[in-house]
Amino acid sequence: MTGHQGSSDPDVMQIEVLTDERRARVVTDRVQLRRLAPFMGQERTVSQVAAQLGLDVTATYKATQRFLTLGLLRETRREARSGRAIRYYRAPQAYFTPFSVMPLEQIGQLNRAVHLERFEGQLARTMRHGLHGPWGALTRVLPSGEPFYDVATVDGRSWNPLDDDSPVVLSGWNLVTLPSAEARALQREIMAVIRPYLGRRGEGRTYLLGVFLTPDEGDSALSPAAPARAAGARTT
């Protein structure tokens, strides 16, 4: 069940509807939201949140004060002690931002830009450590007319990311032409592969995974389709 902030029913999720773009920018930006999230639906101190996130207390305090100023959380109580009292804060369990306040493309660009920059940096570092020899970017055109570049050697030998001794990376943009039913099937197949791995916690290395699929109504100069390529090739 859902409801607005202030409901006394414990089974109703507290949702605050945001109509101010400054506040909406915080709760739709995963970087900023990371510091607000520990307060959502529970009473916490600045020190508790700083310890949970592994951040400096001063930096966390400044972020908390900004959230207070924006009205995204509130002080719930103070616990007396010698010296300065301990202050507790709480935010609603959830926020709702209408697309009339923050358009979907603005939210997407804001978050994807950060993750794509992170991905490209991590990919470059991984490839530098995992590839040995005179590798580079081989730019060419497929028989379909689609241009792309591939990780390859100067003599045209392409790198295969599926080799057992290759770094565990995937990077690629591909144009594919599909009937609507087949596109829907592809969407569901991709989600079925990914879903079992989402939200898992435990031992192991963290990987940044991004998957994108949308109808393409963009540059008419792009070829409508290209044959499938080995994972790791990237279109330009």
Side-chain angles (χ1 to χ4, degrees):
M1 297 177 64
T2 60
H4 294 300
Q5 185 178 11
S7 172
S8 59
D9 187 341
D11 294 326
V12 174
M13 179 183 292
Q14 295 179 335
I15 301 178
E16 182 170 344
V17 178
L18 302 183
T19 57
D20 177 78
E21 186 176 342
R22 295 179 307 159
R23 304 170 74 204
R25 277 184 171 274
V26 173
V27 304
T28 56
D29 180 343
R30 291 185 181 180
V31 174
Q32 298 189 70
L33 186 58
R34 180 170 177 260
R35 299 189 181 190
L36 176 61
F39 294 107
M40 294 174 64
Q42 55 188 335
E43 193 179 59
R44 307 296 295 276
T45 68
V46 170
S47 296
Q48 288 173 336
V49 171
Q52 176 181 332
L53 299 178
L55 298 174
D56 179 74
V57 173
T58 300
T60 306
Y61 174 79
K62 289 180 179 179
T64 301
Q65 291 304 303
R66 179 167 175 265
F67 298 150
L68 281 169
T69 300
L70 289 171
L72 292 170
L73 78 165
R74 61 187 178 86
E75 182 180 328
T76 54
R77 64 187 175 94
R78 299 186 185 187
E79 190 175 283
R81 65 171 182 176
S82 57
R84 181 177 297 179
I86 300 176
R87 302 186 182 199
Y88 289 81
Y89 306 92
R90 186 185 181 95
Q93 290 175 286
Y95 299 93
F96 177 80
T97 301
F99 290 145
S100 58
V101 177
M102 282 280 288
L104 179 59
E105 62 270 25
Q106 190 173 347
I107 296 173
Q109 289 169 1
L110 182 68
N111 287 284
R112 278 191 288 273
V114 173
H115 285 86
L116 285 174
E117 181 178 357
R118 178 179 175 185
F119 172 78
E120 293 296 347
Q122 294 290 350
L123 175 65
R125 281 189 286 273
T126 300
M127 296 295 278
R128 278 197 298 270
H129 287 94
L131 289 179
H132 306 285
W135 294 91
L138 179 65
T139 303
R140 51 182 167 169
V141 179
L142 294 171
S144 65
E146 181 192 4
F148 79 103
Y149 75 85
D150 199 6
V151 177
T153 58
V154 69
D155 59 0
R157 179 169 59 91
S158 294
W159 166 69
N160 184 0
L162 300 183
D163 287 344
D164 289 340
D165 59 349
S166 292
V168 181
V169 297
L170 288 174
S171 175
W173 287 103
N174 297 273
L175 297 175
V176 293
T177 299
L178 304 170
S180 295
E182 197 171 345
R184 176 69 69 185
L186 175 60
Q187 175 200 40
R188 290 175 175 169
E189 287 172 12
I190 292 173
M191 286 306 302
V193 170
I194 295 172
R195 189 174 288 116
Y197 299 95
L198 299 178
R200 287 171 39 171
R201 295 186 179 277
E203 297 181 357
R205 186 173 184 179
T206 300
Y207 293 86
L208 184 61
L209 173 65
V211 178
F212 307 95
L213 174 68
T214 181
D216 181 40
E217 307 295 341
D219 191 346
S220 60
L222 293 175
S223 298
R229 297 192 302 279
R234 294 196 285 182
T235 57
T236 57

